Amino acid sequence: MKNGYNDKLTLDRIDNDKGYSPDNCRWVTHMENCHNRGARKDSTTGVAGVTIRTMKNGKVWYRVHITENYNRIYVGKYDTLEEAITARKEAEEIYWGKKVV
């Protein structure tokens, strides 16, 4: 209790690459915990919410989505990975209130 626990919070790692330890954990809401996820281990782009697509003619493009309140929101499609990453960060700011870094 003295560390901030209550029944409406979940345990979250501040840095997902580090283990569970008192200096790397915090109590957050379920939604905050969801927002702290990184890219899936099988991600082809290495960026959460950004997937690569290849058309039949060989042209490559990137699809961006974000999830808010259990709803998957399509952000758009982009010609370059850099554009897709920028769009994803902007969507995080809009939907989650995260600052674009």
Side-chain angles (χ1 to χ4, degrees), residues 1-61:
M1 294 296 190
K2 67 181 178 181
N3 292 324
Y5 170 83
N6 80 46
D7 291 336
K8 295 180 181 179
L9 300 178
T10 61
L11 188 62
D12 178 53
R13 287 180 295 163
I14 297 165
D15 183 341
N16 291 324
D17 294 329
K18 295 181 180 176
Y20 287 92
S21 64
D23 60 325
N24 191 43
C25 289
R26 60 188 172 185
W27 293 103
V28 298
T29 65
H30 175 71
M31 277 299 152
E32 289 172 304
N33 197 336
C34 291
H35 296 169
N36 190 31
R37 290 184 181 157
R40 291 171 38 130
K41 298 222 184 288
D42 63 351
S43 169
T44 55
T45 64
V47 181
V50 177
T51 54
I52 190 169
R53 295 289 183 244
T54 305
M55 296 172 54
K56 289 181 182 177
N57 66 6
K59 183 174 177 2
V60 172
W61 56 278

Side-chain angles (χ1 to χ4, degrees), residues 55-73:
M55 296 172 54
K56 289 181 182 177
N57 66 6
K59 183 174 177 2
V60 172
W61 56 278
Y62 299 87
R63 181 174 60 190
V64 178
H65 73 271
I66 192 165
T67 302
E68 176 60 13
N69 293 326
Y70 306 101
N71 295 312
R72 186 177 174 123
I73 300 162

